Amino acid sequence: MSELSALKSALAAEQAVVYGYGVVGAHLSGAPRRHAMDRLTKHQTRRDEISALITASGAVPPAGLPAYRLPFPVGDPAAARRLAVALEDG
């Protein structure tokens, strides 16, 4: 795998995680939500750094998708916490 391909794969993963944390945050409140939003910010930063590396290589970073398939339905805080764990494990 070329370096550019690896960067594009990493970018796609971060884009999916950022989307996932948007879902997580929508179902949490208080300290758990603040923690999730902190993780969201870290992944947004990583996404932007990877995108900048792709641009610096002379390529165009692929745009993220408008939505991503979640591994399971998320409709309550317990499912949101499980999704956060899945996002980090991924």
Side-chain angles (χ1 to χ4, degrees):
M1 176 181 276
S2 72
E3 182 178 336
L4 181 57
S5 293
L7 286 171
K8 287 181 176 180
S9 291
L11 178 59
E14 288 299 336
Q15 289 166 331
V17 170
V18 166
Y19 175 86
Y21 268 111
V23 174
V24 168
H27 294 284
L28 298 176
S29 61
R33 185 174 193 283
R34 286 190 298 278
H35 179 71
M37 294 302 93
D38 178 60
R39 297 303 305 154
L40 170 64
T41 299
K42 286 179 178 20
H43 284 284
Q44 288 171 324
T45 299
R46 188 172 300 141
R47 176 204 59 200
D48 295 346
E49 290 169 348
I50 295 167
S51 183
L53 289 171
I54 293 171
T55 300
S57 77
V60 176
L65 300 175
Y68 293 83
R69 183 178 307 210
L70 299 176
F72 48 83
V74 178
D76 59 38
R81 287 190 295 276
R82 284 194 315 275
L83 178 57
V85 170
L87 293 171
E88 292 302 327
D89 285 347

